[in-house]
Amino acid sequence: MQKFEIYRDKGGEFRFRLKAANGQNILASEGYRAKSGCTNGIDSVRRNSQDDDMYERLESSSGKPYFNLKAANGQVIGTSEMYSSHSAMENGIASVKNNAPGATVEDLTQ
């Protein structure tokens, strides 16, 4: 089952990752000082994931494609993994669109 996982990073900040039904990480957040900011980020992913214009398609310095999902204010709310091809990246975007709206939230910080 697809889900958002809330966890703490090594610096103590809250982060989330969106996992597909197969357990693969498909989107990861920045760090948030407060858990409420993290949960607001999840809500923003749900709202913005259906709008293709909110996806910024990029290439790493080593030529690997990846994407950012942005909020209406232009702030990055999630970043994908690096992909082997542009078509694999597009499949990743499709996965976020399919998985984010109905994903449950699992809080691993409790």
Side-chain angles (χ1 to χ4, degrees), residues 16-20 22-29 55-69 76-96:
F16 67 81
R17 58 188 159 232
L18 175 60
K19 298 187 108 171
N22 65 4
Q24 181 180 4
N25 291 335
I26 52 178
L27 194 71
S29 77
Y55 291 90
E56 179 180 37
R57 291 152 170 91
L58 301 163
E59 220 172 75
S60 71
S61 58
S62 63
K64 298 263 187 190
Y66 71 101
F67 64 87
N68 287 329
L69 176 61
V76 174
I77 49 178
T79 301
S80 74
E81 64 181 359
M82 300 293 164
Y83 291 96
S84 58
S85 67
H86 287 280
S87 62
M89 177 189 66
E90 292 299 330
N91 288 341
I93 290 171
S95 184
V96 172

Side-chain angles (χ1 to χ4, degrees), residues 4 6-8 11 18 28-30 32 36 38 42 49 52 54 56 71 74 81 84 87 96 98 100 106-107 110:
F4 288 97
I6 297 174
Y7 65 99
R8 282 189 184 257
L18 175 60
S29 77
E30 63 181 6
Y32 297 91
S36 61
C38 190
I42 290 170
S49 64
D52 197 64
M54 296 300 175
E56 179 180 37
E81 64 181 359
S84 58
S87 62
V96 172
N98 289 333
E106 183 177 353
D107 187 345
Q110 297 179 345

